[in-house]
Amino acid sequence: MTKLTLGSLFDGIGVFPLAASRYGIQPIWASEIEKAPISITKRHFPNIHHLGDITKVKGGEIPPVHIITFGSPCQNLSNIGKREGLIGSQSSLFFHAIRIIEEMRCATNGTYPVIAVWENVMGAFSSNNRLDFKAVLESFTNTEIPMPASEVWANAGMVRGNDVDVAWRLLDAQYWGKPTLAQRRRRIFLVADFGGRRATEILFKARDLQSVFTSIGEGRLSSTIASRISTQKARGKIPIIRPFQERRMRSTAKERKEKGFHGSFGRTGDPFPTLLAGSVNYFSFWYEGEEKEGFIRQLTPLECERLMGLPEGWTALGNKDEAISDYARYKAIGNAIAIPCAEYIMAGIAEVL
């Protein structure tokens, strides 16, 4: 049996390679330009070849792989940004990934890659008057795709064109993993199958995921348990954790929107807001009945790793044992992909291939 191989564009901190390796898929190469994420990935995957700047990568000259993954920059698609769409300087890098896929398929007589996986923010459904997502689908299928009659892209769907099977689905990290992650993180995952009609099976079939690991080289301790202060240590007291949405709090206060301001305060058991590259999440903590002794603090990088389902300490050190700064860790984690979502897709690919 041929070992499945993977190439990771816009690699970040190696989330797709990590998820793939857990299902026997071998990561071969990666493309990334940020210094700290490259060093982190090199530490965990010393055998991955780093290709550097995606604009200089030639798909016909790099080792062909079964799977190409890419979470292209989302700054121009995000609901938070200026929303220039795919024509924006950063999000337009998407088309370089498509070029690399086409060049590799051309050089291998249509054999590789077999599967491509694209990940992006939910804003890609609506940016540029909803034409960006149409362009994404057309780029994969090389076919004109009509706009939906409703003029709104559904959170899940599929199209076919020129023997390419494409399916997409919006996955929210708070519903994935065992235990589920305590973070609200909605992301589009798109699977393109160039060799058959398996995209829907990969993306829509229910399957159990193997248990993952929180500590590098150690058995998993549930992130819910690990991230909460033990009630035994607290002498039977019940800890209360309430995350709140600082961005929403600031904007609604500025606009004097009382309802929105009140809504920015979390309730007990609420998931954390989406971790972002450019901001840090805060939460309040107290023991039941001791509200006056409570405090507010920001998440640590370790807690952010847990909220993404990453192994504990994944971003702490680079490949030369150098400490990665907290700033670089927050940024890298905020740009990353939730592990259980990536795992679910890799499990499906391993199953069908």
Side-chain angles (χ1 to χ4, degrees):
M1 182 179 161
T2 312
K3 192 171 181 76
L4 296 176
T5 54
L6 176 135
S8 174
L9 301 171
F10 310 103
D11 180 62
I13 51 175
V15 169
F16 273 127
L18 172 60
S21 62
R22 288 177 173 169
Y23 289 91
I25 300 166
Q26 184 180 354
I28 300 291
W29 48 255
S31 166
E32 176 57 60
I33 56 169
E34 294 264 349
K35 188 178 169 186
I38 290 171
S39 191
I40 291 164
T41 305
K42 280 183 174 178
R43 179 180 183 84
H44 301 299
F45 297 101
N47 296 325
I48 284 183
H49 178 59
H50 284 264
L51 306 174
D53 184 349
I54 191 169
T55 63
K56 297 179 174 65
V57 175
K58 293 182 171 62
E61 297 176 9
I62 56 177
V65 288
H66 295 92
I67 307 146
I68 289 181
T69 58
F70 64 109
S72 51
C74 61
Q75 286 88 332
N76 308 122
L77 303 173
S78 170
N79 290 324
I80 295 169
K82 292 179 182 173
R83 313 215 67 192
E84 296 113 312
L86 283 177
I87 57 167
S89 60
Q90 289 161 307
S91 295
S92 62
L93 292 168
F94 164 85
F95 295 109
H96 280 284
I98 295 295
R99 170 186 60 77
I100 289 164
I101 289 168
E102 288 174 348
E103 287 170 353
M104 184 178 289
R105 287 190 59 74
C106 187
T108 61
N109 292 321
T111 307
Y112 298 101
V114 183
I115 302 282
V117 180
W118 176 71
E119 177 268 353
N120 221 285
V121 293
M122 188 180 175
F125 280 145
S126 55
S127 62
N128 192 18
N129 285 330
R130 300 178 176 80
L131 292 173
D132 280 340
F133 194 65
K134 172 180 162 76
V136 166
L137 296 176
E138 291 177 345
S139 298
F140 280 106
T141 59
N142 205 14
T143 304
E144 187 173 342
I145 304 293
M147 289 289 284
S150 64
E151 296 193 354
V152 176
W153 294 103
N155 287 347
M158 57 90 57
V159 293
R160 286 197 181 109
N162 284 333
D163 298 324
V164 183
D165 198 35
V166 173
W168 71 88
R169 182 176 177 184
L170 190 74
L171 302 182
D172 188 339
Q174 67 176 308
Y175 304 117
W176 294 84
K178 287 184 177 179
T180 53
L181 299 184
Q183 180 195 176
R184 180 175 58 249
R185 190 179 191 85
R186 295 186 291 180
R187 293 291 184 265
I188 301 167
F189 287 86
L190 179 149
V191 173
D193 180 2
F194 300 102
R197 296 191 166 189
R198 299 160 294 194
T200 51
E201 191 179 343
I202 292 167
L203 208 45
F204 298 131
K205 184 179 173 183
R207 58 179 67 86
D208 277 331
L209 299 181
Q210 61 193 40
S211 60
V212 293
F213 312 92
T214 35
S215 303
I216 297 163
E218 295 175 21
R220 178 174 174 81
L221 175 66
S222 106
S223 56
T224 315
I225 297 166
S227 62
R228 293 217 176 122
I229 296 169
S230 156
T231 40
Q232 288 174 325
K233 283 183 186 172
R235 300 194 185 103
K237 299 175 189 174
I238 298 171
I240 308 293
I241 297 171
R242 291 191 177 176
F244 52 85
Q245 301 173 54
E246 192 204 1
R247 275 175 180 265
R248 186 179 175 192
M249 192 177 287
R250 286 173 187 270
S251 63
T252 51
K254 193 175 176 182
E255 294 161 12
R256 298 183 180 278
K257 292 182 178 175
E258 189 177 343
K259 189 178 177 185
F261 183 75
H262 288 159
S264 67
F265 288 85
R267 291 167 301 203
T268 306
D270 274 2
F272 276 81
T274 305
L275 298 181
L276 302 169
S279 67
V280 176
N281 286 86
Y282 289 82
F283 66 95
S284 54
F285 176 89
W286 65 87
Y287 289 111
E288 197 171 75
E290 298 180 10
E291 289 81 357
K292 289 181 180 176
E293 307 299 317
F295 54 84
I296 292 172
R297 72 164 172 85
Q298 65 184 50
L299 288 165
T300 64
L302 173 61
E303 288 164 337
C304 291
E305 288 173 342
R306 290 172 178 161
L307 288 174
M308 295 295 284
L310 285 161
E312 292 184 359
W314 184 262
T315 61
L317 298 171
N319 68 316
K320 293 177 180 168
D321 289 335
E322 77 276 20
I324 304 296
S325 73
D326 282 359
Y327 171 78
R329 292 178 73 183
Y330 283 127
K331 184 180 178 186
I333 296 166
N335 279 328
I337 294 160
I339 281 281
C341 299
E343 278 206 334
Y344 166 70
I345 291 167
M346 289 302 145
I349 292 172
E351 199 176 272
V352 303
L353 295 190

